[in-house]
Amino acid sequence: MVHHGPRPLVLFGPSGSGKSTLLQRLCAEFPNTFGFSVSHTTRCPRPGEVDGVHYHFTTKEAMREAIAHGEFIESAEFSNNLYGTRYVLEVMARLIWVLESQGRWQTSGECSGRAICKSG
């Protein structure tokens, strides 16, 4: 199913390139404009990170199974951990995707015009 709402804003780059900093500034300055798709990861939470806020923390087994079932729009492996973005079912604001460089290439068709949503 294709969602005909606002086009997503895609921030992509290698780890440590400032994606999260830019995301925080955009959301602070334009709080009613952007929605954020919380990514999934298999790495352990860092001090202060909250499950479902900063990332959805999961196991490699569960994430590999979800990827195999087509539940992710993109995924990447970095430093022996998996990262990925699930399909979004409902977009209420302009969605921001924060992707590692590997994941960006998996979304080139989806990012071309519309946020891609998949019914469960």
Side-chain angles (χ1 to χ4, degrees), residues 82-93:
L82 298 173
Y83 294 82
T85 305
R86 282 190 187 262
Y87 282 92
V88 177
L89 296 178
E90 185 175 351
V91 178
M92 300 303 287

Side-chain angles (χ1 to χ4, degrees), residues 53-106:
V53 175
H54 300 97
Y55 283 97
H56 293 289
F57 296 98
T58 187
T59 65
K60 284 184 181 179
E61 296 79 22
M63 192 156 168
R64 285 190 200 283
E65 183 176 327
I67 292 168
H69 285 108
E71 297 176 22
F72 281 79
I73 193 166
E74 62 84 28
S75 61
E77 187 165 351
F78 180 77
S79 295
N80 202 32
N81 288 299
L82 298 173
Y83 294 82
T85 305
R86 282 190 187 262
Y87 282 92
V88 177
L89 296 178
E90 185 175 351
V91 178
M92 300 303 287
R94 186 168 185 185
L95 189 64
I96 299 176
W97 290 340
V98 179
L99 310 176
E100 288 296 321
S101 296
Q102 294 177 46
R104 185 266 180 256
W105 302 114
Q106 297 173 34

Side-chain angles (χ1 to χ4, degrees), residues 31-69:
N32 298 317
T33 302
F34 296 105
F36 174 60
S37 175
V38 179
S39 297
H40 289 65
T41 185
T42 60
R43 74 163 170 76
C44 295
R46 295 177 183 143
E49 288 184 327
V50 176
D51 186 40
V53 175
H54 300 97
Y55 283 97
H56 293 289
F57 296 98
T58 187
T59 65
K60 284 184 181 179
E61 296 79 22
M63 192 156 168
R64 285 190 200 283
E65 183 176 327
I67 292 168
H69 285 108

